[in-house]
Amino acid sequence: MEETYLLNVEGVKKKILHGGRGELPKLQDGSKFTFHFQTLKDDFERTVIDDSREAGVPMEIIVGKMFKLEIWETLLSSMRIGEVAEFWCDTIHTGMYALVSRGMRRIAEGRDPLEGQKHRCGMGNMFDYHSTGYDDLDELQRTPQPLIFVMELFRVEDPSAYKRDTWAMSKEEKLAAVPVLHSEGNRLVLRREFAQAAAKYQEAVICLRNLQAKEKPWEDGWLKLESLVTPLVLNYCQCQLELGEYYEVLEHTTELLQKHNDNAKAYFKRAKAHAAVWNEREAREDFQRVAHLDPSMAAAVKKELKQLGERMRKKHVEDRKRYQGLFQSSQG
């Protein structure tokens, strides 16, 4: 297929590999592209950098939402539904690819795509990273180069046709979504559907954390959002306790207490998680902090400490019997 310069955009060439159907989709702010993509180096081997099919989930971007790799919106806007096309993009369009890929890979791994990101613009963050955590992306960051994108466009949806993902929402939409998600989580807890409730609380926290990333830490706007985050994290941790995910609880309560070391409820949940994984000393210390910080919880602490003592005594008896059995069998 003959190569052509795409829409008079400098540094871009398009090759149609499989024709699409119908007219070019009509786009507006908030329209959503759903597509698969493959990113290749422009070398002899056409080395594959990323392939969304390997992750098993198509990519989605929203028109007008300042996706870091702006050229992708331009490329997709030139495609019909069902079309497969190959785009060669010069370095002027690919400088941010390492950061975009890093975020997509983190999402595929179930990690926070913003983890470790400083409160800076995208280009500022690019210079802050000593490493993306991926060797091939580090190479692209050190030496930007032309890239080839092979895209298959599945569908284009109007803003009213799909449920907005939290990352695609405006500030006002995120703030409005938080109490709704909080309420849905509480309703699911009453039905003892703890995994589903945890997902609602987590989604609400992500909304607020994304907003916090645009505020200066510990200033009024940041603190106001943090006051909304804290109860959601505690609710999330309670769900994880019910699900037996004790190390998850230890991680999140410890992170919370690093910012708010007077939160009795966080200490209480962390103490229960410590007790569940046999960290007796840490559990006792946290329970004692709870009683000191909030005397109204003293009765609950006393009950938990009694249960902890009974569990530890039972464990010591069982351990002693086990060791004696091992010793006797080795003597025999």
Side-chain angles (χ1 to χ4, degrees):
M1 185 70 67
E2 183 182 356
E3 290 186 349
T4 59
Y5 283 92
L6 168 67
L7 303 178
N8 296 318
V9 177
E10 182 184 357
V12 176
K13 296 177 185 178
K14 176 180 179 181
K15 184 191 297 182
I16 296 175
L17 305 180
H18 178 77
R21 57 186 181 274
E23 301 296 320
L24 288 173
K26 294 180 180 179
L27 303 174
Q28 56 183 302
D29 273 5
S31 294
K32 180 168 74 171
F33 292 112
T34 302
F35 60 101
H36 267 307
F37 75 94
Q38 192 177 48
T39 304
L40 313 170
K41 284 186 177 181
D42 184 22
D43 57 13
F44 182 76
E45 295 83 6
R46 290 170 61 94
T47 306
V48 176
I49 300 172
D50 290 305
D51 188 340
S52 62
R53 292 185 186 279
E54 288 187 1
V57 180
M59 181 71 180
E60 297 174 348
I61 64 172
I62 308 297
V63 174
K65 286 300 177 182
M66 299 298 289
F67 184 62
K68 281 181 179 174
L69 204 64
E70 295 178 22
I71 193 62
W72 273 18
E73 188 174 312
T74 304
L75 306 183
L76 290 162
S77 299
S78 78
M79 298 178 68
R80 292 172 168 78
I81 306 300
E83 181 178 322
V84 181
E86 177 179 305
F87 300 90
W88 178 91
C89 293
D90 205 352
T91 309
I92 57 172
H93 300 296
T94 63
M96 294 298 291
Y97 185 77
L99 291 188
V100 172
S101 176
R102 174 184 185 268
M104 291 187 295
R105 291 183 188 187
R106 283 180 173 274
I107 291 170
E109 294 164 4
R111 299 161 67 189
D112 180 359
L114 299 177
E115 180 183 321
Q117 185 165 314
K118 298 186 179 181
H119 181 69
R120 299 270 304 272
C121 67
M123 191 60 71
N125 273 314
M126 190 172 185
F127 292 112
D128 277 328
Y129 292 135
H130 297 294
S131 172
T132 61
Y134 305 93
D135 291 342
D136 57 339
L137 299 184
D138 287 347
E139 179 195 344
L140 285 181
Q141 196 161 261
R142 284 192 300 268
T143 55
Q145 55 195 267
L147 295 173
I148 297 167
F149 303 113
V150 180
M151 295 177 161
E152 180 178 2
L153 181 61
F154 295 130
R155 58 182 173 272
V156 177
E157 297 169 273
D158 290 336
S160 60
Y162 64 92
K163 178 180 179 295
R164 301 288 292 277
D165 292 318
T166 52
W167 61 266
M169 294 178 180
S170 67
K171 177 179 180 179
E172 292 72 23
E173 288 170 331
K174 286 174 181 172
L175 285 172
V178 168
V180 175
L181 291 165
H182 198 156
S183 178
E184 289 177 353
N186 293 347
R187 178 176 54 80
L188 289 162
V189 166
L190 291 174
R191 290 161 50 180
R192 301 191 65 78
E193 297 177 15
F194 296 113
Q196 295 90 330
K200 296 293 183 183
Y201 295 137
Q202 187 177 43
E203 188 176 353
V205 168
I206 289 170
C207 280
L208 294 169
R209 291 294 191 213
N210 286 345
L211 293 174
Q212 268 191 318
K214 298 176 175 62
E215 302 285 345
K216 290 185 178 180
W218 303 105
E219 292 194 357
D220 288 346
W222 188 94
L223 288 169
K224 185 176 180 181
L225 293 167
E226 184 69 13
S227 70
L228 299 175
V229 167
T230 300
L232 288 163
V233 172
L234 291 172
N235 287 1
Y236 174 82
C237 287
Q238 183 59 42
C239 291
Q240 298 303 321
L241 281 173
E242 298 285 353
L243 294 167
E245 299 290 345
Y246 303 119
Y247 290 102
E248 180 92 352
V249 176
L250 291 175
E251 178 184 346
H252 287 283
T253 51
T254 297
E255 181 183 350
L256 190 62
L257 287 165
Q258 286 170 351
K259 299 177 189 172
H260 312 287
N261 63 4
D262 59 348
N263 192 302
K265 290 182 179 178
Y267 279 118
F268 190 77
K269 295 185 194 304
R270 190 171 76 170
K272 287 177 71 72
H274 275 309
V277 296
W278 309 104
N279 295 339
E280 182 180 13
R281 179 180 60 79
E282 292 87 346
R284 289 188 180 279
E285 287 177 356
D286 278 354
F287 279 132
Q288 287 164 4
R289 287 194 188 97
V290 173
H292 174 73
L293 289 167
D294 187 352
S296 70
M297 298 180 71
V301 167
K302 185 177 179 180
K303 179 182 176 183
E304 292 289 341
L305 285 170
K306 182 180 178 182
Q307 291 178 352
L308 176 61
E310 290 171 353
R311 287 182 69 239
M312 295 308 300
R313 279 191 292 275
K314 183 177 179 182
K315 182 176 186 295
H316 292 326
V317 170
E318 291 174 351
D319 287 347
R320 193 158 49 243
K321 287 180 180 178
R322 189 178 303 113
Y323 294 143
Q324 286 175 348
L326 289 171
F327 179 75
Q328 289 170 356
S329 63
S330 65
Q331 290 293 314

